Amino acid sequence: GSLLTVNIAERSQVANQTIAEVFEHFPQLIAVAIIRNQKIHLPRGSTELKSGDQLLVVASQEASVERFKQLATGTT
């Protein structure tokens, strides 16, 4: 697996959604931490992602990482 940082963009399709809502579509990814306003938050299922967040993710498969990055950065 790999650890990566994904920036949640303003036009992100995952902004304003909960961790549970987003990651049900990406079972091979695990949200490890959210960096928001220079503070580290441990994500729970009910934690809402916001634009400007940095999300630390552990990935077991590279294919899903690219799709997730596209959604998070709004480049789809």
Side-chain angles (χ1 to χ4, degrees):
S2 57
L3 179 66
L4 59 132
T5 303
V6 179
N7 295 316
I8 307 299
E10 198 170 309
R11 63 185 180 277
S12 170
Q13 294 181 36
V14 300
N16 304 316
Q17 291 188 30
T18 65
I19 292 288
E21 291 169 333
V22 172
F23 284 86
E24 73 178 317
H25 303 290
F26 297 94
Q28 55 282 74
L29 302 180
I30 299 171
V32 178
I34 297 171
I35 301 170
R36 180 182 294 156
N37 300 323
Q38 300 178 346
K39 294 182 182 178
I40 297 174
H41 302 273
L42 298 178
R44 307 277 185 248
S46 61
T47 303
E48 195 170 283
L49 293 169
K50 300 289 185 189
S51 62
D53 285 353
Q54 286 183 301
L55 183 61
L56 295 176
V57 178
V58 172
S60 62
Q61 294 181 2
E62 288 299 317
S64 58
V65 169
E66 288 308 313
R67 178 66 183 134
F68 182 76
K69 281 183 178 179
Q70 290 173 344
L71 290 173
T73 59
T75 58
T76 59

